[in-house]
């Protein structure tokens, strides 16, 4: 599976200003002389609570709300009663019961499950993150629940039908990188959720035999629907196209539609004609199955796009036939998000498209466009905020079509860049240094040099100085992924300068325990740390003992940990759940292949499979 | 600032709001009715133009604070039909809450007490904007609130928030 393509946004930390002290003077009842005093004393509890609740309704970020809940008892009560959106970053950190007991009126839930390295196949199948206990607890506790977003959770068909039957006002379901369900579950869900506005399947891949596939699209209510978003671009099975057409025809509120690769370019055109109001479109295959009929389709497609004046986001292009690309020219100047990460196109094919995309803010692309394609992006997209360059071939000895040349061009042309993910083979410290100077707004810097231990390909030096420059110069950086040949020196820089880093990913890097120690001792805001194939052992692990209660999780696989070291951490930090994952029976007992540890209010989970040992 | 003390124009019902510090604000019924609390009260006791009801206000609502509330109520009683329509009204709202912290909080409490829902929303939004990104201690300081959690309670919630809900 590829790197995640749909990060959920997270609000940033930020310091508050110091305020002057305030003496309320409002606790005393005012008594007026002479005249009747029909008004009760002000600031009785009711007024105060009214004010708190009113202020809280304008406080949406969970960090602000968490701070508010700690002010005093009345704030705690008011905040708990008025929190409508609940975010739980690790489904094993708290029990559903405890969450529901505290927050009684939640309308929208975000729940995350497996560690992120599951995206790279590092978390064995059957590890956990089952949605079922949450689904049943919420069915009882939150009858008014309207929205659920699950990320890396295991969701069964029964869970889907429970959702559909338990929440009469249910409006939206987003499943990101989830598994365990099938089209049968989708069918029940579509049929029973009468007020559904949003169904978005993102990066959920499940195989079904042809006879198992259920025609779920036909199951939506036959009346006019409230659908605003329908996304199923990851779905491996084909949907009933006539039913899809009919569904779209009776969904006047639809704004976002993402279809899968089974939908041909001519079918896409038919859908677009039915829904010219779309703002977000996932195109499906963007090719025609019949050879030679291209020209006719092309003309129709051009007019369909020309009529879709509201489009701001385009994705899909799963099997793109470049001859159809000119059809999107009319909408290019309006679009802010373009996802070509499945489109195997060349620089020559990209250039005429990108030339029209002056307002692009988010661009995802495959490395087949080479450095030349990125140069074209840099020349046009002056407003670019996010760039992701994915590899056609993600293996470590792949050729790698983009390099330091493309990165330098981007950093030169796109000065507003805030987030970059860049897969490549050839990189230089100089290029990374240039980016650190040119793009000081960077919040996310993820450079993935796919070959192991690859140095600066000009100088042969480690990549230490490049990453050092990033943490030194980009003060807003909260997320960093490092790669290439890196010595402990790079981690020294990260520990010294990476004061706002919250998420750090490390692969094949460092040369001793000191590397990890620099990070754990130096990065006070570190929340999420994931490391694979690096020479960090027990001493490195123990150097973070002071910080683990501040972190959401630590993942370490194929490092140099021993059971004894992990047990030591578990003993010293009783509220930390220390999981040792043994999915290779031949592995010896003392070495720890995979460690996943996280703080938890409930302690060890009771659904761990046999290959997970909780220390 | 309009003080709401203009002369009655032709027998219209009036009401006098009297603050603890002795200032009187004479307002018409449309203005008074912007406040749910006053509206309820007046529906019981009534008022007239030649013998207006005097309503004393609690000490926390000083004349300066009441002046703001009255200014808001008068402007909104007139609605968007006056002085440049809705756009001007929105601008008026925006400028009205450009207040120092103490004043902003006092007006917020007054809006809650007098039940002026839209003014309460307006000031609450401004307060929420002010406390965004603040630490717990900073929020306490801002509101002048002293924590009444026991040490044990605070410890539990302190770990619960970041551990589970962040």
């Amino acid at each position: 599976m590829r790197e995640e393509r749909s990060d959920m946004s997270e609000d940033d930390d930020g310091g508050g200003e110091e305020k002057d002290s305030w003496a309320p003077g409002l606790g005393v009842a005012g008594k007026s002389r002479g005249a009747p005093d029909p008004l009760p004393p002000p600031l009785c509890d009711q007024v105060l609570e009214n004010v708190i609740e009113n202020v809280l309704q304008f406080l949406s970020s969970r960090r602000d709300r968490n701070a508010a809940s700690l002010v005093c008892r009345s704030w705690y009560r008011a905040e708990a009663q008025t929190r409508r959106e609940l975010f739980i970053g690790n489904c094993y950190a708290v029990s559903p019961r405890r969450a529901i007991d505290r927050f009684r009126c939640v309308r929208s839930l975000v729940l995350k499950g497996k560690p992120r390295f599951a995206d790279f196949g590092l978390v064995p199948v059957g590890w956990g993150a089952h949605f079922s206990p949450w689904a049943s607890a919420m069915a009882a506790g939150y009858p008014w629940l309207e929205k659920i977003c699950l990320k890396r959770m295991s969701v069964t068909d029964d869970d889907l039908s429970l959702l559909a039957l338990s929440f009469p006002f249910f409006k939206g379901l987003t499943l990101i990188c989830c598994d365990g369900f099938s089209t049968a579950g989708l069918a029940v869900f579509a049929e029973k959720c009468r007020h559904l506005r949003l169904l978005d399947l993102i990066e959920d891949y499940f195989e079904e035999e042809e006879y198992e596939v259920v025609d779920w699209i036909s199951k939506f209510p036959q009346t006019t629907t409230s659908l605003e978003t329908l996304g199923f671009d990851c779905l491996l099975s084909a949907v009933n196209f006539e039913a899809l057409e009919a569904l779209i025809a009776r969904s006047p509120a639809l704004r976002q539609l993402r279809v899968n690769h089974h939908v041909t370019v001519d079918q896409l055109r038919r859908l677009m004609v039915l829904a010219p109001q779309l703002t977000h479109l996932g195109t499906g295959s963007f090719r025609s199955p019949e050879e030679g009929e291209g020209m006719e389709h092309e003309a129709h497609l051009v007019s369909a796009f020309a009529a879709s004046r509201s489009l701001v986001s385009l994705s899909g292009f799963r099997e793109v036939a470049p001859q159809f690309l000119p059809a999107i020219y009319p909408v290019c100047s309006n679009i802010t998000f373009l996802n070509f990460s499945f489109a195997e196109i060349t620089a020559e094919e990209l250039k005429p498209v990108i030339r029209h995309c002056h307002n692009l803010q988010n661009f995802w692309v495959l490395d087949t466009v080479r450095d030349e394609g990125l140069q074209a992006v840099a020349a046009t997209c002056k407003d670019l905020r996010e760039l992701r360059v994915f590899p056609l071939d993600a293996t470590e000895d792949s050729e790698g079509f983009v390099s330091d040349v493309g990165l330098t061009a981007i950093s030169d042309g796109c000065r507003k860049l805030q987030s970059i993910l860049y897969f490549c083979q050839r990189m230089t410290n100089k290029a990374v240094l240039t980016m650190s100077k040119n793009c000081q707004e960077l919040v996310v810097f993820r450079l993935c040099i796919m070959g192991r231990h690859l140095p600066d390909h000009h100088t042969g030096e480690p990549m230490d100085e490049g990453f050092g420059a990033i943490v030194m110069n980009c003060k807003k950086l909260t997320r960093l992924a490092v790669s290439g040949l890196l010595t402990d020196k790079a981690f020294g820089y990260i520990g010294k300068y990476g004061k706002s880093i919250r998420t750090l990913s490390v692969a094949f890097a460092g040369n001793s325990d000191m590397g990890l120690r620099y990070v754990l001792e130096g990065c006070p805001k570190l929340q999420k740390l994931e490391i694979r194939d690096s020479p960090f052992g027990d001493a490195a692990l123990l150097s973070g003992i002071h910080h683990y209660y501040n972190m959401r999780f630590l993942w370490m696989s194929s490092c140099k940990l021993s059971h004894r070291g992990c047990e030591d951490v578990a003993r010293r930090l009783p509220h930390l759940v220390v999981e040792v994952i043994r999915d290779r029976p031949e592995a010896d007992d003392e070495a720890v292949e995979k460690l996943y540890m996280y703080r938890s209010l409930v302690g060890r989970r009771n659904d761990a499979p046999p290959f997970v040992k909780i220390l | 600032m309009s003080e709401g003390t203009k002369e009655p124009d032709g027998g219209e019902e009036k009401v006098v709001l009297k603050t603890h510090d002795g200032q009187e604000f004479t307002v018409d019924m449309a203005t008074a009715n912007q406040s749910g609390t006053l509206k309820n009260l007046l529906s019981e006791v009534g008022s007239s133009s030649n013998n207006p009801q005097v309503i004393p206000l609690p000490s926390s609502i000083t004349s300066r604070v009441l002046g703001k509330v009255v200014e808001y109520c008068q402007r909104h009683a007139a609605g968007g039909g006056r002085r440049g329509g809705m756009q001007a009204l929105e601008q008026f709202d925006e400028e009205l809450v450009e207040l120092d912290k103490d004043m902003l909080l006092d007006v917020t409490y007054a809006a809650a007490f007098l039940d002026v829902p839209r003014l309460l929303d307006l000031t609450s939004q401004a307060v929420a904007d002010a406390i965004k990104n603040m630490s717990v201690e900073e929020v306490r300081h801002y509101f002048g609130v002293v924590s009444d959690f026991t040490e044990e309670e605070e410890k539990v919630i302190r770990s619960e928030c970041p551990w589970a809900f962040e």
Side-chain angles (χ1 to χ4, degrees):
Chain A
M1 192 183 298
R2 300 219 198 148
E3 171 80 334
E4 62 188 293
R5 293 176 186 212
S6 42
D7 283 7
M8 292 197 305
S9 64
E10 295 185 29
D11 24 42
D12 297 320
D13 284 330
E17 291 166 39
E18 192 64 29
K19 298 283 175 177
D20 295 327
S21 97
W22 181 66
L26 287 172
V28 190
K31 263 275 176 215
S32 295
R33 280 158 295 162
D37 187 357
L39 293 180
L43 270 211
C44 51
D45 287 351
Q46 206 188 337
V47 172
L48 193 59
E49 254 165 50
N50 192 1
V51 166
I52 298 169
E53 283 183 18
N54 250 284
V55 169
L56 286 171
Q57 70 167 326
F58 296 105
L59 215 53
S60 51
S61 114
R62 57 180 184 269
R63 286 198 187 87
D64 287 337
R65 294 197 68 103
N66 286 341
S69 73
L70 273 160
V71 168
C72 63
R73 284 186 180 159
S74 51
W75 279 70
Y76 179 84
R77 266 196 311 274
E79 197 284 315
Q81 276 162 16
T82 55
R83 192 174 305 202
R84 299 284 177 266
E85 297 176 359
L86 184 58
F87 173 93
I88 294 171
N90 174 3
C91 65
Y92 289 125
V94 64
S95 67
R97 185 74 263 152
R98 185 159 175 177
I100 291 169
D101 279 348
R102 175 165 172 185
F103 304 108
R104 299 298 180 89
C105 304
V106 168
R107 301 282 168 80
S108 163
L109 171 80
V110 176
L111 185 60
K112 291 180 165 190
K114 292 171 206 168
R116 200 189 66 97
F117 271 9
D119 295 359
F120 302 98
L122 294 178
V123 178
V125 175
W127 174 80
H130 304 289
F131 178 53
S132 298
W134 287 90
S136 19
M138 286 186 310
Y142 292 146
W144 287 19
L145 197 71
E146 293 177 352
K147 267 189 198 165
I148 293 180
C149 172
L150 304 176
K151 193 169 185 183
R152 298 191 191 93
M153 296 284 293
S154 198
V155 183
T156 65
D157 285 345
D158 286 344
D159 295 338
L160 292 178
S161 86
L162 187 67
L163 291 188
L165 297 171
S166 306
F167 306 110
F169 309 108
F170 201 75
K171 292 195 177 85
L173 179 66
T174 305
L175 300 176
I176 306 167
C177 302
C178 290
D179 57 19
F181 62 99
S182 72
T183 47
L186 292 177
V188 176
F189 187 76
E191 185 178 357
K192 303 292 181 193
C193 278
R194 312 288 300 180
H195 309 288
L196 200 64
R197 291 186 189 171
L198 177 152
L199 176 61
D200 211 357
L201 306 177
I202 301 169
E203 301 275 307
D204 312 314
Y205 297 99
F206 54 86
E207 304 264 4
E208 286 175 292
E209 297 296 335
E210 207 166 316
Y211 68 88
E212 293 173 316
V213 175
V214 176
D215 175 9
W216 60 283
I217 289 281
S218 308
K219 296 296 194 295
F220 281 92
Q222 292 304 309
T223 50
T224 301
T225 80
S226 314
L227 268 183
E228 292 165 8
T229 297
L230 177 64
F232 57 92
D233 50 348
C234 58
L235 202 67
L236 298 178
S237 57
V239 299
N240 174 342
F241 185 72
E242 283 68 36
L244 178 62
E245 263 188 317
L247 175 64
I248 288 167
R250 61 180 194 276
S251 302
L254 195 69
R255 292 293 177 275
Q256 305 200 20
L257 175 67
R258 286 177 282 275
V259 298
N260 67 359
H261 62 285
H262 291 283
V263 173
T264 68
V265 78
D266 189 48
Q267 289 175 325
L268 175 72
R269 180 194 60 78
R270 285 159 64 184
L271 298 176
M272 291 177 73
V273 170
L274 288 170
Q277 76 278 11
L278 290 178
T279 57
H280 296 61
L281 177 65
T283 64
S285 72
F286 219 66
R287 77 181 175 93
S288 171
E290 314 97 26
E291 291 292 325
E293 287 190 27
M295 295 311 282
E296 186 197 330
H297 289 323
E298 264 175 74
H300 293 309
L301 194 64
V302 169
S303 50
F305 272 98
S308 298
R309 293 265 160 222
S310 308
L311 280 178
V312 293
S313 167
L314 274 181
S315 58
F317 306 100
R318 297 235 161 191
E319 297 159 8
V320 61
Q323 77 200 70
F324 294 115
L325 280 177
I328 72 171
Y329 293 171
V331 298
C332 282
S333 63
N334 282 337
I335 56 174
T336 55
F337 181 91
L338 179 59
N339 182 348
F340 270 170
S341 67
F342 291 96
E344 265 188 68
I345 54 171
T346 64
E348 288 315 312
E349 288 155 354
L350 174 68
K351 279 197 248 175
V353 176
I354 211 72
R355 196 180 296 141
H356 296 88
C357 298
H358 298 281
N359 291 310
L360 210 56
Q361 295 192 3
N362 307 73
F363 183 46
W364 300 7
V365 68
L366 212 51
D367 63 357
T368 52
V369 301
R370 297 181 181 263
D371 289 330
E372 197 186 338
L374 297 181
Q375 284 163 338
V377 173
T380 304
C381 308
K382 298 298 171 193
D383 210 23
L384 200 68
R385 310 296 161 97
E386 183 200 30
L387 176 69
R388 298 189 188 194
V389 182
F390 295 93
L392 178 65
D393 174 1
T395 53
E396 60 178 292
D397 48 2
S398 66
E399 191 181 338
F401 296 117
V402 297
S403 72
D404 51 301
V405 176
L407 192 76
T408 305
I410 291 293
S411 70
D412 197 37
C414 310
R415 300 294 177 107
K416 294 183 185 171
L417 203 66
Q418 294 170 358
S419 173
I420 185 162
L421 170 65
Y422 198 86
F423 282 85
C424 65
Q425 292 290 18
R426 283 158 294 130
M427 188 44 63
T428 63
N429 282 306
K430 193 177 165 204
V432 179
L433 174 74
T434 305
M435 175 156 274
S436 79
K437 286 186 174 158
N438 288 349
C439 305
Q440 302 210 350
E441 294 300 307
L442 276 177
V443 175
V444 176
F445 185 80
R446 296 193 285 167
L447 175 59
C448 182
I449 301 168
M450 292 178 287
R452 290 182 199 193
H453 311 296
L454 284 183
D456 179 317
H457 82 102
H458 279 169
T459 65
E461 299 281 316
M463 289 298 299
D464 298 342
E465 299 303 322
F467 285 102
I470 290 287
V471 287
M472 236 179 283
N473 296 328
C474 304
K475 301 285 181 219
K476 297 178 181 172
L477 200 75
T478 62
R479 184 169 180 183
L480 176 67
V482 299
S483 57
L485 179 63
L486 289 173
T487 73
D488 289 345
K489 201 172 169 191
F491 296 97
Y493 288 132
I494 294 170
K496 188 168 179 195
Y497 299 105
K499 298 302 176 193
S500 51
I501 290 180
R502 294 169 44 82
T503 307
L504 177 64
S505 308
V506 177
F508 304 101
N511 33 23
S512 77
D513 287 337
M514 280 311 290
L516 184 52
R517 185 171 175 170
Y518 287 135
V519 169
L520 288 168
E521 290 180 352
C523 302
K525 292 209 172 149
L526 195 64
Q527 286 278 302
K528 297 179 258 184
L529 176 57
E530 45 193 23
I531 304 167
R532 59 177 292 190
D533 300 279
S534 299
F536 304 139
D538 293 346
L541 182 68
L542 288 167
S543 72
I545 209 97
H546 64 287
H547 190 56
Y548 293 139
Y549 276 164
N550 300 329
M551 288 175 62
R552 191 187 295 169
F553 70 80
L554 168 67
W555 168 280
M556 289 175 79
S557 55
S558 307
C559 293
K560 288 187 166 172
L561 298 173
S562 80
H563 252 275
R564 188 188 298 262
C566 296
E567 272 164 3
D568 202 5
V569 173
R571 195 167 46 245
R572 290 167 68 178
L573 300 175
H575 297 292
L576 207 63
V577 176
V578 180
E579 295 194 5
V580 171
I581 302 169
R582 275 188 61 197
D583 51 337
R584 294 185 313 171
E586 74 276 15
D588 80 78
D589 275 350
E590 186 45 31
V592 168
E593 173 57 22
K594 289 171 183 169
L595 166 73
Y596 179 51
M597 58 187 213
Y598 50 89
R599 58 196 180 180
S600 174
L601 299 169
V602 273
R604 59 175 59 205
R605 60 194 176 108
N606 53 18
D607 65 350
F611 55 80
V612 170
K613 190 173 174 195
I614 298 176
L615 303 179
Chain B
M1 189 170 74
S2 143
E3 291 273 290
T5 46
K6 61 177 176 166
E7 285 300 307
D9 39 4
E12 203 185 337
E13 283 184 323
K14 295 281 175 185
V15 57
V16 176
L17 306 174
K18 190 176 175 192
T19 62
H20 191 63
D21 51 2
Q23 287 226 36
E24 292 190 354
F25 291 71
T26 305
V27 300
D28 58 30
M29 292 303 275
T31 300
N33 282 341
Q34 296 284 311
S35 151
T37 307
L38 295 179
K39 190 176 178 182
N40 276 342
L41 205 62
L42 291 166
S43 71
E44 286 168 25
V45 299
S47 190
S48 67
S49 57
N50 35 15
N51 186 21
Q53 175 71 39
V54 178
I55 298 179
L57 293 168
S59 63
S60 58
I61 303 179
T62 62
S63 53
R64 198 166 155 241
V65 172
L66 185 65
K68 276 286 163 196
V69 178
V70 166
E71 187 185 348
Y72 174 89
C73 291
Q74 283 177 332
R75 188 71 175 80
H76 279 259
R82 213 178 59 163
R83 289 192 240 160
M86 292 312 288
Q87 211 177 342
L89 199 61
E90 275 167 29
Q91 198 186 339
F92 166 85
D93 285 354
E94 232 169 79
E95 288 168 6
L96 189 85
V97 292
E98 285 172 7
L99 299 168
D100 65 53
K101 188 193 76 181
D102 290 357
M103 189 65 181
L104 178 61
L105 282 176
D106 286 348
V107 174
T108 308
Y109 288 126
F113 175 70
L114 291 170
D115 185 19
V116 189
R118 284 191 302 177
L119 177 60
L120 180 58
D121 280 354
L122 200 61
T123 54
S124 295
Q125 171 81 67
V127 171
D129 288 345
I131 63 173
K132 263 175 202 160
N133 295 326
M134 278 191 186
S135 68
V136 180
E137 288 70 24
E138 287 165 336
V139 180
R140 281 179 187 157
H141 193 63
Y142 184 91
F143 281 90
V145 172
V146 179
S147 166
D148 53 359
F149 288 124
T150 64
E151 213 173 293
E152 190 52 33
E153 279 173 336
E154 180 156 345
K155 207 175 125 196
V156 171
I157 308 169
R158 281 246 180 216
S159 72
E160 188 168 288
C161 282
W163 283 38
F165 307 121
E166 232 171 74

